[in-house]
Amino acid sequence: LSLLNHTRSVELLFFVVLQNTLIVDGCSRWKSIRVMYFTMFLSSVGFSIVITSVWPYLQKIDDSANGSFLGWVVAAYSLGQMVASPLFGLWSNRRPRREPLVCSILINVAANILYAYVHLPPSNRKYFMLIARVFVGFGAGNVAVVRSYVAGATSLKERTSAMANMSAFQALGFILGPALQAGLSFIGETGVSIEVIDLQFNMYTAPALLAAFLGIINILLVVLILREHRVDDHGRQISAINYTSEERVDVTDDTDGSIDHIAVVTSNIIFFVVLFIFATFETIATPLSMDMFAWTRKQAVLYNGIILAAIGFESILVFLVVKIISQKVGDRPVLLGGLIVTFFGFFILFPWGNVYPKIQWSDLQNSSSHGGPSSPQPISNSSVEPTGCPPEQTWCQYTPVIYMAQYFVSDIFIGVGYPACNVMSYTLYSKVIGPKPQGVYMGWLTASGSGARTLGPVFVSQVYTNLGTRWTTSLLCGVLFAAIVLLACMYRRLIAFSVRHGRIEEP
């Protein structure tokens, strides 16, 4: 009896210790997840904080740069991210995630500092800006690590909410990025020269330096707070395969079963389309507004910064609503609805009417005999910054203007559709993969999105510059329609790994 009582006491003590360990472990798990939220936030800040000022900054430092080169500069970020994402994803599968995270953030910090110094080279400054943006994007390849960590550290029930929260932080980065750029525009184009370190502190370099400072804070958080955690679809703690130095009581990791690779490929294609569409929108926002509304460079930076910040705020509200709606109707209907809303957002931008854009250096006059604009007459000896459509964009002379009301309504629709598509596409993707190691898979998903951000700006800058708004909006609507058809055809296959293998019933 004494031995039996002693055994029961030991079992009771073990149970209490295990319970307390799980409580502490759960607290540590969510602290680590919140560090990942902040890392995702900084990744989007690194992209958006300069997006509205890239074009005027490029024109300022190198007058040989044109609209086509702008597409390459915007795409450079995503090109770097596309290359880095699978590499960081593979690294995170085999080693503690602190290593790829700290390395990637250090690259990001150094690249932002380089961006602030692109004025120093005596020539070809536009190429130095291109290189800086490539390495900022390379550092942002840690998004694959962030997504795989959150997917692996949450149960199936927690995942949609956690992914929505992560997307909300990403949207917050898109809010504060353009908003900070707009706020820092008061420094002006000249700003202050700090000769000791050869730095021109102005409205173009200040945002990049701020992003570098935030990156240093991010490194400290990763080193001090982040711990490795992994749970199964039911939320039970299991060992992290890339970190085994900490002892813990594990449950069996039920990873038997194959992944539906057709669903994986479909998810990658849909994610590509979602990022492709939004990248084109970000790229043409500034040149389109300058061409259609005759805004100056400073006005375009300020107003588009405010508009993108408003879209980001709208996105946060959408994420909060998505968390509720997806619990009632599921993830797939929300994704389909987001694609349809985004389609209408771009359809609204189609030019119509008989009013034409203002041409730079000219007074636009309608011809009474043809009902169209006459050829522009250049005005010489003017010190005023030219505004309106450049004369070399000949489509401006026969393509109707896009009205400001169209532009604003389109922004509202895109601000609703894009965040819903974004969060649902990679939430579904993580559920399709299930309990399998997700580092490499998330690397490919991020690479898919980065490829979209690479091709999107290059594609849209070429089409917009050479063919105009009518062709641009038509092609983008066609791409979105194809994505809607693909989702409808593959609708039944986009289900969670555990649901597919009969371990959990589909909600």
Side-chain angles (χ1 to χ4, degrees), residues 71-324:
W72 287 106
V73 172
V74 175
Y77 173 96
S78 302
L79 180 63
Q81 191 179 49
M82 180 177 66
V83 173
S85 295
L87 300 178
F88 285 132
L90 181 62
W91 189 353
S92 71
N93 270 3
R94 299 177 181 273
R95 297 286 301 169
R97 289 183 176 91
R98 289 180 189 171
E99 294 179 10
L101 285 172
V102 171
C103 178
S104 61
I105 298 168
L106 281 173
I107 292 172
N108 195 288
V109 169
N112 274 302
I113 294 173
L114 173 62
Y115 183 88
Y117 278 95
V118 294
H119 65 279
L120 288 181
S123 61
N124 295 323
R125 294 172 179 171
K126 62 184 181 181
Y127 295 109
F128 285 92
M129 178 185 282
L130 184 70
I131 293 170
R133 292 302 291 171
V134 166
F135 280 101
V136 170
F138 193 91
N142 59 24
V143 168
V145 183
V146 172
R147 285 177 177 150
S148 67
Y149 183 92
V150 174
T154 53
S155 67
L156 204 62
K157 185 177 180 180
E158 296 169 332
R159 195 163 306 157
T160 299
S161 178
M163 290 294 187
N165 289 339
M166 188 165 60
S167 295
F169 274 87
Q170 187 178 29
L172 186 61
F174 282 114
I175 288 177
L176 291 183
L180 287 170
Q181 172 69 85
L184 292 171
S185 63
F186 77 91
I187 300 175
E189 289 188 305
T190 304
V192 179
S193 296
I194 305 176
E195 297 181 359
V196 178
I197 53 176
D198 288 329
L199 176 66
Q200 291 183 2
F201 187 79
N202 54 40
M203 62 184 281
Y204 303 126
T205 61
L209 294 173
L210 178 60
F213 175 73
L214 292 174
I216 294 172
I217 295 176
N218 195 188
I219 291 173
L220 294 175
L221 291 174
V222 168
V223 171
L224 297 176
I225 297 177
L226 184 67
R227 298 293 182 272
E228 294 292 336
H229 293 283
R230 186 166 173 247
V231 301
D232 65 7
D233 283 348
H234 298 278
R236 298 172 298 186
Q237 195 76 28
I238 56 179
S239 292
I241 60 172
N242 56 347
Y243 193 69
T244 58
S245 64
E246 296 179 4
E247 295 183 0
R248 66 176 63 187
V249 177
D250 300 325
V251 296
T252 302
D253 182 12
D254 190 6
T255 60
D256 294 336
S258 61
I259 297 174
D260 186 350
H261 286 96
I262 294 178
V264 168
V265 172
T266 300
S267 299
N268 272 280
I269 293 173
I270 292 173
F271 192 69
F272 177 92
V273 170
V274 170
L275 271 292
F276 179 89
I277 291 298
F278 195 71
T280 59
F281 171 74
E282 289 175 321
T283 303
I284 65 171
T286 299
L288 184 144
S289 60
M290 292 174 70
D291 294 345
M292 297 295 108
F293 314 136
W295 286 348
T296 63
R297 290 195 298 265
K298 189 170 183 178
Q299 287 175 326
V301 170
L302 176 61
Y303 299 154
N304 281 300
I306 294 171
I307 290 170
L308 288 177
I311 291 175
F313 180 74
E314 180 187 10
S315 298
I316 291 180
L317 298 179
V318 172
F319 291 134
L320 296 176
V321 174
V322 160
K323 289 169 64 175
I324 299 172

Side-chain angles (χ1 to χ4, degrees), residues 41 44-45 48-50 52 172-182 207 305:
F41 163 78
S44 63
V45 166
S48 67
I49 198 168
V50 299
T52 60
L172 186 61
F174 282 114
I175 288 177
L176 291 183
L180 287 170
Q181 172 69 85

Side-chain angles (χ1 to χ4, degrees), residues 192-486:
V192 179
S193 296
I194 305 176
E195 297 181 359
V196 178
I197 53 176
D198 288 329
L199 176 66
Q200 291 183 2
F201 187 79
N202 54 40
M203 62 184 281
Y204 303 126
T205 61
L209 294 173
L210 178 60
F213 175 73
L214 292 174
I216 294 172
I217 295 176
N218 195 188
I219 291 173
L220 294 175
L221 291 174
V222 168
V223 171
L224 297 176
I225 297 177
L226 184 67
R227 298 293 182 272
E228 294 292 336
H229 293 283
R230 186 166 173 247
V231 301
D232 65 7
D233 283 348
H234 298 278
R236 298 172 298 186
Q237 195 76 28
I238 56 179
S239 292
I241 60 172
N242 56 347
Y243 193 69
T244 58
S245 64
E246 296 179 4
E247 295 183 0
R248 66 176 63 187
V249 177
D250 300 325
V251 296
T252 302
D253 182 12
D254 190 6
T255 60
D256 294 336
S258 61
I259 297 174
D260 186 350
H261 286 96
I262 294 178
V264 168
V265 172
T266 300
S267 299
N268 272 280
I269 293 173
I270 292 173
F271 192 69
F272 177 92
V273 170
V274 170
L275 271 292
F276 179 89
I277 291 298
F278 195 71
T280 59
F281 171 74
E282 289 175 321
T283 303
I284 65 171
T286 299
L288 184 144
S289 60
M290 292 174 70
D291 294 345
M292 297 295 108
F293 314 136
W295 286 348
T296 63
R297 290 195 298 265
K298 189 170 183 178
Q299 287 175 326
V301 170
L302 176 61
Y303 299 154
N304 281 300
I306 294 171
I307 290 170
L308 288 177
I311 291 175
F313 180 74
E314 180 187 10
S315 298
I316 291 180
L317 298 179
V318 172
F319 291 134
L320 296 176
V321 174
V322 160
K323 289 169 64 175
I324 299 172
I325 294 178
S326 63
Q327 292 176 356
K328 296 182 178 180
V329 302
D331 298 335
R332 292 173 295 176
V334 176
L335 176 58
L336 181 60
L339 287 172
I340 293 172
V341 171
T342 308
F343 173 85
F344 282 108
F346 280 96
F347 184 79
I348 290 169
L349 275 180
F350 194 82
W352 57 278
N354 55 5
V355 178
Y356 298 88
K358 175 189 173 184
I359 308 296
Q360 287 182 11
W361 308 104
S362 69
D363 292 321
L364 193 63
Q365 298 177 350
N366 291 330
S367 171
S368 58
S369 59
H370 297 90
S374 61
S375 299
Q377 300 297 324
I379 298 176
S380 60
N381 300 326
S382 174
S383 60
V384 179
E385 177 186 341
T387 58
C389 229
E392 58 268 21
Q393 292 180 180
T394 55
W395 56 266
C396 294
Q397 300 176 39
Y398 56 80
T399 304
V401 71
I402 292 177
Y403 296 94
M404 196 171 292
Q406 283 179 270
Y407 187 62
F408 289 154
V409 173
S410 174
D411 291 342
I412 293 171
F413 272 80
I414 294 171
V416 171
Y418 168 72
C421 293
N422 188 7
V423 65
M424 286 300 106
S425 54
Y426 62 74
T427 298
L428 272 171
Y429 185 76
S430 69
K431 291 181 178 180
V432 167
I433 299 169
K436 304 285 187 178
Q438 297 200 6
V440 174
Y441 280 102
M442 284 297 177
W444 288 118
L445 183 73
T446 305
S448 175
S450 300
R453 284 188 173 277
T454 301
L455 294 177
V458 175
F459 164 82
V460 78
S461 60
Q462 295 291 335
V463 173
Y464 176 80
T465 302
N466 297 314
L467 301 176
T469 52
R470 184 170 284 155
W471 272 94
T472 302
T473 53
S474 298
L475 289 172
L476 293 179
C477 285
V479 170
L480 278 167
F481 182 77
I484 293 170
V485 172
L486 174 64

